Amino acid sequence: MNKAIITVVGKDTVGIIAQVCTYLAENKVNILDISQTIVQEYFTMMMIVDMTKLEKPFEQVVSELMNIGSGIGVQIKCQREEIFDKMHRI
């Protein structure tokens, strides 16, 4: 399985989850786990996704997700699971 971690952070607004999930579905990315919360007016979401069926380069998805985030006023980051794990080890 080809897993990645997607994080979304920013001011809460209508449609954040919808836009991110629509993009993922259109690109055959399966959401394995998702957690989101709103603290006052700040939105945070973390997703673990399976990119096994992805048909475009990973770097292109990273860039397109960043562009979606810019368009809706949030920061979206996408990292391969193994990189995320290595960066967050104690």
Side-chain angles (χ1 to χ4, degrees):
M1 192 176 302
N2 185 8
K3 292 184 186 175
I5 309 299
I6 298 173
T7 56
V8 182
V9 179
K11 286 256 187 177
D12 188 34
T13 187
V14 174
I16 297 171
I17 297 171
Q19 287 196 41
V20 174
C21 291
T22 298
Y23 173 84
L24 295 175
E26 289 171 348
N27 286 281
K28 301 179 183 172
V29 176
N30 186 37
I31 299 168
L32 301 172
D33 200 355
I34 182 172
S35 173
Q36 67 89 32
T37 189
I38 299 168
V39 178
Q40 294 184 6
E41 70 269 13
Y42 297 98
F43 175 88
T44 61
M45 177 169 64
M46 182 173 176
M47 308 169 95
I48 300 173
V49 298
D50 178 9
M51 295 190 155
T52 303
K53 296 182 181 178
L54 184 66
E55 296 176 348
K56 58 176 76 169
F58 179 80
E59 294 74 21
Q60 183 177 348
V61 171
V62 170
S63 177
E64 289 172 354
L65 284 169
M66 286 176 59
N67 289 338
I68 289 170
S70 293
I72 56 177
V74 297
Q75 183 179 54
I76 302 177
K77 291 187 178 183
C78 181
Q79 297 176 297
R80 295 187 188 277
E81 181 184 44
E82 59 269 14
I83 301 297
F84 186 88
D85 286 344
K86 288 182 180 172
M87 286 177 52
H88 294 91
R89 278 198 182 146
I90 295 177

